[in-house]
Amino acid sequence: MRVYGTNAIRNVAFVGHGAAGKTTLVDALAFVSGSSKRHGSIQEGTTLTDYSADEIERKHSISLGVGIAEWQDTKINLIDAPGFLDFLGEATAALHSADSAVVVINATGGVEVGTEKVWEICDQLHLPRLLFVTQMDRERANFERVFDDVKAHLSPKVVPVEIPVGNGAEFHGIVNLLTDETQLYRKGTKTGEFDTGPLPEEAKAAYAKYHEQLVEAIASTDDALLERYLGGEELSREEIVKALKKGVASGEIVPMLVGSPTLTYGMRALLTEIVDLLPSPAEAPIPGGAPDDAPLVGHVFKTISEPHVGDVTLFRLYRGTIKSGDEVWNHEHNVAEKLNHLSVQQGRERIEVPELHAGDIGSVAKLKDTHTNDTFCTREHPVHMEPIPYPEAVSSSGVLVKNRGEEDKLAAGLHKLHEEDPTFHFEYSSELHQTLIHGRGERHFEIILGRLEKKFGVHAELTRPRVAYRETLRGKAEGQGKHKKQSGGRGQYGDCWIRLAPKPRGAGYEFVDNIVGGVIPNKYIPAVDRGIQEAAVRGVIAGYPLVDFQAECFDGSYHDVDSNEMSFKMAGILAFRTVAPKARPVLLEPLHLVTVRVPGEYLGDVMGDLSSRRGQILGTEPDGRLTRINAIVPEAEMYRYATQLHSITHGRGTFHEEFHGYAEAPPDVTQKVAAEHAKEHGKDKDEE
Ligand SMILES: Nc1nc2c(ncn2[C@@H]2O[C@H](COP(=O)(O)OP(=O)(O)OP(=O)(O)O)[C@@H](O)[C@H]2O)c(=O)[nH]1
Ligand SMILES: [Mg+2]
């Protein structure tokens, strides 16, 4: 592989809705350019960037992948991102590491949820972009319909720069509105080769319409140009191309292109347009540009754990040059890393390179302590780059190992997977005795379980996450706890009378010492307090901590020889267990504040669903193009909400939830939780 200078590099993220055709397109571009030897396909599991066993088996992308197309003395780094929203974190990382994007739309569909999501991220990053209408050979492919949809639902800034000759099975050529060249494809075309010909009769009307739109759009990015155009003057082709590139860079124009990667139609034109119209790292909107001679700055945007190779680190160089074997400074982890066997990725294959210039994307294996989002720099000029803002975890589940004894392996495996995929987190809750995972949805969790099994030999399954209930008291009661044991020598004796009373929510626990006349010696009173607190950790309804109450110790007795701290602690425990059930104990359940954003048309269904989850709707308000619903919903009812919201809103709704507080659970919930507890712990109780 040649070494490319900054100006001869294009970093392009391929993004779009799930199954739009991104991976197939990236594969075809690398193949047609000659940089990849095989024209792969999803069906055969042979594409350049969907090479992991999971991706081949499931026939869709899961992780971002990088390929290369060398074209017209330029190296195009093709970053292929998955489209399914469970893997939006990967698309986010891809877009953050690119200087431009090709947004891919399926010619039989149009704008979909995934298209809107990535478009939004492109907008936030001010990324110059092209829109590629793919799968033009498919039955029911329709260029005009897609264009109308795009104009109405995505952006008015999109203008066709190419139009197809024929749709679906008839698709056999492409007219370039800038060069007026018509490319005609023969059946059996393998590497995108074409004949040029005159504008076919069938494309004349479309040509007239779109050509005018294009020139008008280009002219209106530049006042002087517009004036001349409106004055009836012909604009030169050079002027037009120059203005178009400027319009693309500023985001005022998004050229729409067309083709079929399966047939390799339109691939050469797209490669050329990427080189001509999209910015190099030097022209990209990066603060400070991409100077080659500045101190090194690189950012790790992906870590892949590869069988037989170990961890492979993918990074984007922002400034400076790197040579194979160079040592770089990882500022986040305070560690020097040696970049041995510096490489670039052609799909799964690692191609060694002697050096990389500012703006390029490289890979290196077996680093000591480098993780996604770390920055490479020099010790003298430490830099910390902004981390990739991954989308938040919206779904939680419990995980259980199928075979006892695999718990340690589970934790180690989950830790490794989190490093590969920062949108996934896990924790062990000692209160709930459960490992919890948090991520983007069920498809995401399925992949994680699959990887646990394949890579780490851990057999695990998803379980419902347990809920951290609490208990409290609603009434007052009093009673005695007496611990007495006389067996031979020295005995045990502790005796206390206590009163329990409720306190306001969140007020916590309070102990009141009302012992008079030394009926319990002072030194034993703290032991009574400890006993009560210890007993309250396991409440009386379903074994959950009992909170927000006052305990008053007001009477008791002791024995000169047999009394000790231990005995009074036992007395406190016994007193609590006797009195608490009489003080009208109730179950408290955690509530979440849930904010849902949906398009107006789904408002009714989403609110209905929240109500059926015992949610209390606080209100709705407009939020940009969407409507925001605020509600308070019991945590126990939020299980699988991400999946349900997705299906109600066809993926258009998003939500956020956070802990809100505890409230008394309704009687039926209390009964159910108590019954579950009795079933699970019945045996332990008997043993005590
Ligand atoms: N006929 C035809 N089929 C295509 C074309 N491009 C892609 N496909 C098919 O469309 C399906 C999805 O293609 P992918 O390349 O996996 O799409 P993707 O956008 O990468 O999908 P995700 O990564 O899962 O979001 C596969 O079955 C492809 O074979 C095309 O140009 N013509
Ligand atoms: Mg894909």
Side-chain angles (χ1 to χ4, degrees):
M1 177 90 38
R2 273 174 53 191
V3 170
Y4 289 84
T6 306
N7 292 316
I9 295 169
R10 303 287 180 275
N11 296 312
V12 189
F14 287 73
V15 290
H17 190 72
K22 302 171 287 295
T23 303
T24 307
L25 175 59
V26 162
D27 181 272
L29 290 173
F31 172 69
V32 166
S33 73
S35 301
S36 155
K37 293 291 158 279
R38 176 171 66 186
H39 187 192
S41 88
I42 294 288
Q43 280 64 30
E44 285 159 29
T46 50
T47 59
L48 192 59
T49 46
D50 276 6
Y51 58 79
S52 75
D54 285 353
E55 292 174 318
I56 291 171
E57 187 192 321
R58 293 169 194 265
K59 298 195 165 44
H60 64 75
S61 306
I62 294 167
S63 302
L64 67 79
V66 181
I68 291 169
E70 296 174 274
W71 189 253
Q72 297 179 345
D73 294 323
T74 305
K75 181 170 82 159
I76 308 172
N77 289 319
L78 311 155
I79 315 175
D80 174 28
F84 286 107
L85 290 176
D86 280 35
F87 313 114
L88 187 64
E90 296 289 306
T92 308
L95 290 167
H96 268 261
S97 311
D99 300 311
S100 60
V102 170
V103 177
V104 180
I105 295 193
N106 180 340
T108 65
V111 177
E112 294 173 275
V113 190
T115 331
E116 290 171 352
K117 288 265 148 83
V118 293
W119 197 266
E120 240 169 67
I121 302 176
C122 288
D123 278 345
Q124 284 159 11
L125 296 169
H126 304 290
L127 274 193
R129 68 207 86 150
L130 304 177
L131 200 146
F132 189 77
V133 179
T134 192
Q135 309 205 25
M136 264 310 289
D137 58 294
R138 294 251 318 255
E139 212 182 306
R140 291 198 306 280
N142 188 321
F143 180 80
E144 293 242 12
R145 200 188 55 220
V146 172
F147 176 62
D148 292 341
D149 191 29
V150 161
K151 258 204 120 74
H153 297 113
L154 200 59
S155 164
K157 292 172 177 162
V158 176
V159 235
V161 168
E162 295 173 354
I163 54 170
V165 184
N167 280 305
E170 258 73 72
F171 173 55
H172 68 284
I174 293 173
V175 182
N176 185 315
L177 303 176
L178 279 180
T179 59
D180 284 349
E181 181 186 83
T182 301
Q183 305 182 347
L184 294 169
Y185 297 92
R186 276 168 272 140
K187 280 236 151 40
T189 296
K190 289 238 157 47
T191 54
E193 64 274 17
F194 53 82
D195 300 322
T196 50
L199 184 67
E201 201 55 44
E202 55 180 305
K204 277 193 173 146
Y207 175 87
K209 171 173 152 197
Y210 290 117
H211 187 262
E212 186 170 321
Q213 277 187 18
L214 175 65
V215 177
E216 218 167 282
I218 294 171
S220 55
T221 62
D222 182 321
D223 287 346
L225 223 53
L226 183 63
E227 216 165 285
R228 286 171 45 208
Y229 172 73
L230 292 177
E233 216 176 301
E234 278 268 323
L235 305 177
S236 81
R237 188 142 301 136
E238 291 71 45
E239 280 177 314
I240 291 183
V241 173
K242 208 173 130 211
L244 177 58
K245 184 165 183 182
K246 229 176 84 197
V248 171
S250 67
E252 278 177 84
I253 298 184
V254 179
M256 174 157 146
L257 310 162
V258 63
S260 160
T262 303
L263 301 178
T264 69
Y265 294 3
M267 295 302 99
R268 292 176 184 220
L270 177 56
L271 287 164
T272 302
E273 264 124 21
I274 288 173
V275 172
D276 285 350
L277 298 179
L278 294 180
S280 77
E283 300 159 319
I286 307 166
D292 237 358
D293 52 0
L296 183 80
V297 181
H299 185 242
V300 175
F301 64 91
K302 177 81 194 162
T303 313
I304 312 166
S305 109
E306 293 273 358
H308 313 302
V309 182
D311 281 354
V312 174
T313 300
L314 301 189
F315 63 93
R316 152 94 197 238
L317 212 54
Y318 284 86
R319 286 174 203 182
T321 312
I322 258 180
K323 289 201 167 49
S324 191
D326 272 1
E327 199 176 89
V328 298
W329 181 246
N330 177 333
H331 188 43
E332 278 80 8
H333 286 88
N334 277 312
V335 59
E337 296 275 22
K338 206 159 165 21
L339 306 190
N340 287 323
H341 303 288
L342 184 67
S343 302
V344 294
Q345 294 288 139
Q346 182 62 298
R348 90 170 342 151
E349 193 193 347
R350 307 189 53 236
I351 303 171
E352 285 200 35
V353 290
E355 61 179 15
L356 292 175
H357 286 264
D360 215 340
I361 285 173
S363 75
V364 57
K366 297 195 176 75
L367 294 183
K368 279 185 290 198
D369 196 10
T370 290
H371 307 276
T372 302
N373 264 330
D374 286 357
T375 309
F376 288 151
C377 51
T378 59
R379 224 182 273 245
E380 297 73 37
H381 294 94
V383 181
H384 171 75
M385 277 196 62
E386 281 289 305
I388 298 162
Y390 288 104
E392 62 179 339
V394 290
S395 217
S396 298
S397 178
V399 193
L400 201 63
V401 288
K402 289 184 190 160
N403 309 324
R404 272 186 172 229
E406 284 188 351
E407 287 85 359
D408 287 352
K409 265 165 67 186
L410 173 73
L414 290 175
H415 185 76
K416 210 71 202 134
L417 290 175
H418 164 71
E419 277 176 9
E420 263 184 53
D421 173 6
T423 59
F424 154 74
H425 310 267
F426 77 100
E427 60 180 315
Y428 179 76
S429 161
S430 50
E431 180 190 337
L432 303 174
H433 305 291
Q434 193 177 33
T435 299
L436 293 170
I437 57 177
H438 310 287
R440 299 274 309 155
E442 271 151 59
R443 197 191 288 261
H444 193 190
F445 293 153
E446 260 174 43
I447 300 291
I448 286 160
L449 290 197
R451 295 201 162 171
L452 270 176
E453 191 160 332
K454 273 202 203 89
K455 290 191 173 173
F456 305 99
V458 184
H459 307 273
E461 60 193 356
L462 297 179
T463 57
R464 201 182 173 105
R466 297 205 178 107
V467 176
Y469 293 104
R470 294 284 180 269
E471 298 179 14
T472 193
L473 303 174
R474 276 202 13 209
K476 293 182 182 176
E478 61 179 58
Q480 185 186 22
K482 190 167 181 176
H483 176 67
K484 189 174 168 185
K485 258 189 191 157
Q486 245 108 24
S487 49
R490 194 174 160 182
Q492 298 173 21
Y493 186 93
D495 170 27
C496 67
W497 279 81
I498 64 165
R499 227 172 253 136
L500 297 181
K503 290 192 58 140
R505 194 69 46 255
Y509 165 77
E510 184 192 16
F511 180 78
V512 179
D513 170 8
N514 253 339
I515 292 296
V516 283
V519 291
I520 300 176
N522 265 341
K523 59 179 176 184
Y524 296 142
I525 292 173
V528 174
D529 179 8
R530 273 205 306 280
I532 294 171
Q533 291 196 50
E534 211 178 286
V537 167
R538 293 167 94 204
V540 291
I541 298 175
Y544 290 96
L546 195 136
V547 298
D548 300 338
F549 70 102
Q550 187 196 65
E552 176 196 348
C553 182
F554 63 93
D555 202 357
S557 63
Y558 72 103
H559 186 278
D560 275 339
V561 181
D562 292 345
S563 279
N564 55 24
E565 281 187 25
M566 194 55 213
S567 303
F568 272 97
K569 190 174 134 188
M570 275 310 295
I573 291 175
L574 292 174
F576 177 87
R577 288 203 187 142
T578 310
V579 181
K582 296 191 287 187
R584 291 170 55 211
V586 290
L587 189 74
L588 296 175
E589 62 175 346
L591 302 180
H592 282 189
L593 177 63
V594 180
T595 313
V596 193
R597 287 181 174 77
V598 292
E601 69 235 62
Y602 303 114
L603 197 60
D605 289 347
V606 170
M607 294 211 295
D609 176 65
L610 285 170
S611 300
S612 77
R613 292 170 186 268
R614 297 193 283 121
Q616 179 202 347
I617 312 277
L618 300 178
T620 61
E621 53 192 322
D623 183 354
R625 286 189 295 159
L626 305 174
T627 303
R628 188 162 70 213
I629 309 166
N630 296 315
I632 300 220
V633 189
E635 180 185 315
E637 304 288 339
M638 287 299 287
Y639 182 49
R640 299 180 72 157
Y641 185 64
T643 308
Q644 177 69 6
L645 181 67
H646 186 97
S647 90
I648 297 178
T649 63
H650 301 283
R652 288 194 159 76
T654 56
F655 77 106
H656 170 85
E657 64 181 315
E658 58 190 50
F659 178 71
H660 178 70
Y662 278 95
E664 210 179 305
D668 55 324
V669 173
T670 304
Q671 264 167 27
K672 207 181 96 211
V673 174
E676 271 164 21
H677 176 75
K679 208 169 111 197
E680 254 181 65
H681 293 270
K683 219 175 101 239
D684 309 11
K685 272 261 161 76
D686 295 345
E687 281 166 5
E688 274 172 21

